[in-house]
């Protein structure tokens, strides 16, 4: 059956399953900048291998894109004492 043969309801059912099965993992990056001991925190979504991660840092009003949550952590560890915390999925 081709995509054109599916009904709207069938498309929505398939997309609902994809939304659940491929949901991004939520995380936080937090820590303290070495330069002035200022705390910072950002929240993100890791979309999986090859798809990357997005992190929003509200104190900078900035959104970062990287290859993974771990890579975001590595980048931020250059400028501060940082941690990565995987967050529970919302229910």
């Amino acid at each position: 059956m081709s995509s054109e043969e599916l009904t709207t309801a069938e498309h929505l059912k398939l997309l609902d399953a994809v939304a659940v099965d491929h949901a991004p993992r939520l995380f936080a990056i937090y820590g303290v900048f070495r330069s002035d001991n200022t705390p910072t925190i950002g929240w993100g979504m890791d979309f999986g291998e090859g798809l990357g991660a997005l992190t929003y840092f509200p104190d900078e009003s900035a959104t970062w894109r990287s290859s993974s949550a771990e890579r975001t952590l590595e980048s931020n560890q250059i400028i501060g004492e940082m941690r990565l915390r995987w967050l529970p999925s919302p229910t």
Side-chain angles (χ1 to χ4, degrees):
M1 182 180 301
S2 72
S3 176
E4 294 82 26
E5 296 175 38
L6 295 176
T7 67
T8 298
E10 291 168 327
H11 277 295
L12 293 174
K13 184 176 180 180
L14 288 171
L15 289 170
D16 185 70
V18 169
V20 171
D21 293 343
H22 298 282
R25 290 182 68 190
L26 303 177
F27 65 91
I29 300 281
Y30 61 91
V32 178
F33 292 118
R34 287 189 188 93
S35 61
D36 59 4
N37 205 38
T38 302
T40 188
I41 188 167
W43 291 270
M45 297 181 294
D46 189 307
F47 294 94
E49 190 171 328
L51 298 176
L54 294 173
T55 311
Y56 176 67
F57 290 91
D59 56 341
E60 300 174 23
S61 294
T63 302
W64 292 24
R65 184 184 181 287
S66 66
S67 59
S68 67
E70 291 86 354
R71 183 68 185 120
T72 303
L73 173 64
E74 291 170 8
S75 297
N76 279 273
Q77 285 178 325
I78 294 169
I79 58 174
E81 186 65 35
M82 301 299 203
R83 302 287 184 269
L84 169 64
R85 170 84 159 124
W86 291 105
L87 303 173
S89 297
T91 54

